[in-house]
Amino acid sequence: MKAAVIYASVTGNTEELAEMIKKYLEMRDIDVVSYPSASFHYHSFRTFRS
């Protein structure tokens, strides 16, 4: 299974939470990538196929 965590953060709190979510999913053998919303583009999912 694959997952993407996309977040927006001004103070860094949401980024920290996104990293916690990513680590939690990775512990369950899920392939995870995380992107700040400002640098994410839907074309990124083309390289994210199983």
Side-chain angles (χ1 to χ4, degrees), residues 12-28:
N13 293 331
T14 305
E15 181 178 7
E16 188 175 322
L17 181 60
E19 285 302 313
M20 291 170 64
I21 291 168
K22 180 180 177 185
K23 288 178 185 177
Y24 177 85
L25 294 172
E26 288 173 335
M27 287 175 25
R28 279 139 186 85

Side-chain angles (χ1 to χ4, degrees), residues 4 7 12-13 15 17 23 27 30 32-33 36 41-42 44 50:
Y7 62 91
N13 293 331
E15 181 178 7
L17 181 60
K23 288 178 185 177
M27 287 175 25
I30 298 173
V32 185
V33 293
H41 192 274
Y42 74 93
S44 301
S50 55

